[in-house]
Amino acid sequence: MQLKNFAVIATALFLTLFYAAPLVAQEEETADLESPSDTTDNELVAKGVAEYASLTDKDIRERLSYLSSCVDVRTNGVVRGYIKNYVYQKSEKARIMLGRRLTYFPLFEQKLKEYGLPLDLKYLAVVESALSAKAVSRVGATGLWQFMPATGSDYGLRSNSAVEDRSNPVKSTDAAARYLRDLHEDFGDWALALAAYNSGPGRVNAAIRRAGSRNFWSIQRYLPSETSNYVPAFIAATYLCNYYNIHGLRPNEVDFDQQLTAYVNVFEGISFRDISEATGIPYSMIKELNPGFKRDYVPPTNMGHYVIVPQRVMPAFIRYLNTVSGAHKYVWDSPTGAGEDFGDGRYYDTQVTVAQAEHIDFFASRMGLCGDQLRTWNKLTTSFVYPNQVLKLWYPVLVQKHSGAIKVDGNKAKVQSSTKPAKENSKPGSTPVATKPDATPAPKQQAQPDVQSMRRQKPSDGDDQYQYHTVQRNESLEDIARQYATSAERLKTLNAITTLKVGMRLKIRER
């Protein structure tokens, strides 16, 4: 009897662990489209927050009518069910996503404009990944735009031991824009193109043949369940990103260093630590902005890799790249408004008065900014600006060369530029590019380390011939070599060692 009871208990315990474990493992980075929790036609009002807007079909339809959309917008229980998930069941995840849009929507809009595509396609990434560049689906789709390996490869996205381009915000967005353009050319309709993006052109063509129609809403019942809900989910994402304020949702705003960013195509091999020391940006921030690099290292390549940094330190980064490159000369046109005032050493704010009524995206574009940024900074509840309305705008203070001078305000370290900021440039939203080098390359200059790296290296007085690294627990020689863009063999030779010990002070290179 005791053995029988033990067997029953053991079996129950095994089943509990077996079914519970995958839920824990998948919680953080899953990116699969979920079914809406409520598709009924009842009015939805959050308990205890009656002062916020309701979610009847009539309300949603009226609000969506003020927005432009590339698809035929219809409102039904499925659309409202997705909105309810965002607003009520998963409000915290919605706040996180709304914060991430301040990082990624400016980039999305830039690429969509480049290919002449509707700007509201940016909401597709909300459906795909909740704007998480690290998201991975149960079938292996990866990144903001959830590319499968084969499709990613078709559009030039590399995956190897050093890089995962599907997680690179710039490369994956460029590939997604080209893929969407091609799908629209094939189907001639954006709703069908979105459905094909989700399930593949083959399934959509099969549904078209069965339904005898090329209208998404007519072929919807012949599509796989996830794909049939895909356009309704896209409509819900469009609604959420424009009307979150009226439902009491407040974005989890990210630091301005993650909102106002720029990128450059880098051909040289450099480590995240090199970038951090050249710009004064924390190592962790460099890693957060560049999730496409698996080893915190940008490998050398003839094609280049896009590296993202805050706009304010791009001049310092360009300066550093030109000291280490003998094959390329890097240049960057600063965006509108950058560097007009010292502010707090990082960013400054200014106020503008609106002259005429217009869509906020058009107004923001003239200011060199993104409409979603202005909407969040000013807590706006509509997509339009009106005459005599006063708006607050934020711009970066450009760091021409990182000086290592740190001004501390509470828990935030702010890098103070050692030179006067650059004048306003008339080219908004510009991107750094690499051009052919001049006849005489710029002399190589070593960027000074930031305070964090100074604490880590702790050089003694007069011992500044070499750059040093103190070995941490669980670090290998290969790990350290990748961090500093050098080789393990070179470190062995320079330090005359064969093994590492925690606390050991390694020479990295001559200064």
Side-chain angles (χ1 to χ4, degrees):
M1 178 64 73
Q2 290 180 342
L3 289 176
K4 184 177 180 180
N5 290 339
F6 176 78
V8 172
I9 294 172
T11 301
L13 180 61
F14 170 77
L15 291 174
T16 299
L17 293 174
F18 180 83
Y19 287 107
L23 295 176
V24 176
Q26 295 179 10
E27 183 179 0
E28 177 64 24
E29 295 294 346
T30 54
D32 299 300
L33 182 65
E34 299 179 6
S35 297
S37 63
D38 189 316
T39 61
T40 65
D41 290 328
N42 296 327
E43 181 176 349
L44 305 177
V45 180
K47 183 178 180 180
V49 288
E51 67 271 20
Y52 296 127
S54 62
L55 284 171
T56 64
D57 278 349
K58 179 181 178 181
D59 294 329
I60 296 173
R61 191 180 302 111
E62 181 180 357
R63 291 166 195 150
L64 285 171
S65 70
Y66 297 115
L67 306 177
S68 61
S69 180
C70 60
V71 302
D72 175 17
V73 175
R74 299 192 182 184
T75 306
N76 55 31
V78 177
V79 172
R80 197 176 58 258
Y82 278 119
I83 296 174
K84 178 184 176 183
N85 277 356
Y86 286 130
V87 174
Y88 304 142
Q89 273 74 36
K90 299 179 180 178
S91 58
E92 184 54 37
K93 289 185 178 180
R95 291 187 183 97
I96 293 172
M97 182 279 296
L98 289 167
R100 289 171 177 164
R101 89 192 196 289
L102 302 177
T103 297
Y104 295 121
F105 276 10
L107 170 62
F108 294 173
E109 290 186 5
Q110 179 185 341
K111 285 296 179 182
L112 292 170
K113 288 177 182 177
E114 183 178 328
Y115 289 100
L117 303 180
L119 295 187
D120 57 311
L121 288 174
K122 64 188 177 184
Y123 303 123
L124 188 64
V126 174
V127 180
E128 286 290 342
S129 64
L131 300 183
S132 171
K134 300 176 183 178
V136 179
S137 78
R138 63 181 180 275
V139 294
T142 299
L144 289 163
W145 298 94
Q146 289 293 281
F147 273 102
M148 292 294 288
T151 309
S153 179
D154 289 343
Y155 283 84
L157 301 181
R158 295 163 287 184
S159 297
N160 54 45
S161 61
V163 298
E164 176 51 85
D165 282 346
R166 291 179 295 166
S167 293
N168 184 301
V170 182
K171 289 213 69 174
S172 65
T173 300
D174 187 89
R178 288 183 284 121
Y179 186 31
L180 286 166
R181 178 194 60 188
D182 293 345
L183 289 172
H184 185 257
E185 288 178 355
D186 290 341
F187 291 97
D189 178 85
W190 279 115
L192 295 179
L194 295 186
Y197 189 96
N198 177 252
S199 64
R203 286 193 176 95
V204 175
N205 280 321
I208 290 173
R209 288 193 296 270
R210 292 186 64 186
S213 172
R214 298 187 66 85
N215 182 287
F216 170 81
W217 300 103
S218 298
I219 73 169
Q220 188 179 19
R221 61 195 177 109
Y222 297 109
L223 293 168
S225 59
E226 180 179 300
T227 308
S228 68
N229 287 336
Y230 198 66
V231 171
F234 175 78
I235 294 172
T238 302
Y239 177 95
L240 176 71
C241 290
N242 285 277
Y243 292 110
Y244 61 89
N245 260 328
I246 68 173
H247 295 293
L249 288 176
R250 294 292 180 267
N252 289 357
E253 293 185 43
V254 295
D255 189 88
F256 280 130
D257 276 356
Q258 292 169 273
Q259 295 189 40
L260 299 170
T261 63
Y263 61 87
V264 59
N265 200 23
V266 175
F267 300 88
E268 286 71 31
I270 56 174
S271 72
F272 285 6
R273 201 175 299 279
D274 292 330
I275 301 173
S276 176
E277 293 182 354
T279 62
I281 298 299
Y283 188 95
S284 59
M285 178 68 74
I286 301 297
K287 187 171 183 177
E288 178 73 19
L289 291 174
N290 295 276
F293 299 101
K294 295 180 178 179
R295 299 181 176 180
D296 300 356
Y297 167 70
V298 183
T301 173
N302 292 330
M303 298 174 61
H305 293 288
Y306 288 111
V307 177
I308 301 173
V309 297
Q311 283 182 11
R312 67 184 181 86
V313 299
M314 182 57 83
F317 187 38
I318 293 296
R319 182 188 184 100
Y320 166 75
L321 289 173
N322 284 324
T323 66
V324 299
S325 175
H328 300 89
K329 183 172 178 61
Y330 295 88
V331 296
W332 182 62
D333 291 326
S334 61
T336 297
E340 289 184 343
D341 191 297
F342 279 99
D344 66 1
R346 300 198 319 156
Y347 297 92
Y348 73 95
D349 67 287
T350 185
Q351 292 185 335
V352 295
T353 301
V354 178
Q356 62 184 22
E358 61 181 325
H359 196 281
I360 194 170
D361 289 342
F362 296 123
F363 179 85
S365 180
R366 291 202 308 276
M367 301 294 108
L369 297 166
C370 171
D372 289 275
Q373 293 169 333
L374 266 61
R375 188 180 287 111
T376 299
W377 296 345
N378 294 277
K379 296 181 172 54
L380 303 181
T381 57
T382 73
S383 298
F384 294 88
V385 293
Y386 301 97
N388 300 319
Q389 185 176 8
V390 178
L391 298 178
K392 178 183 287 189
L393 313 181
W394 287 90
Y395 290 107
V397 176
L398 299 183
V399 178
Q400 301 295 337
K401 180 180 179 182
H402 173 52
S403 66
I406 302 295
K407 181 173 68 175
V408 178
D409 178 13
N411 294 323
K412 295 183 179 180
K414 301 170 182 176
V415 180
Q416 183 74 38
S417 172
S418 60
T419 59
K420 187 176 181 180
K423 297 294 183 182
E424 174 180 327
N425 190 288
S426 59
K427 298 180 180 179
S430 54
T431 302
V433 296
T435 61
K436 295 292 184 181
D438 295 335
T440 305
K444 185 172 181 178
Q445 298 178 2
Q446 178 64 45
Q448 296 195 15
D450 59 11
V451 168
Q452 182 180 359
S453 60
M454 291 171 66
R455 285 198 298 266
R456 181 181 64 252
Q457 296 166 12
K458 295 180 181 178
S460 58
D461 294 339
D463 189 10
D464 58 355
Q465 180 182 357
Y466 293 96
Q467 180 181 12
Y468 286 89
H469 175 87
T470 301
V471 179
Q472 307 296 316
R473 188 177 300 277
N474 297 324
E475 277 190 322
S476 69
L477 203 59
E478 288 74 16
D479 291 334
I480 298 170
R482 282 195 296 269
Q483 291 178 25
Y484 292 95
T486 186
S487 68
E489 291 301 319
R490 189 170 182 177
L491 293 180
K492 286 181 181 179
T493 302
L494 184 61
N495 293 275
I497 59 170
T498 56
T499 59
L500 290 182
K501 293 182 180 179
V502 176
M504 179 183 291
R505 192 159 170 257
L506 291 180
K507 296 176 182 176
I508 302 299
R509 59 173 64 89
E510 288 191 80
R511 292 187 181 276

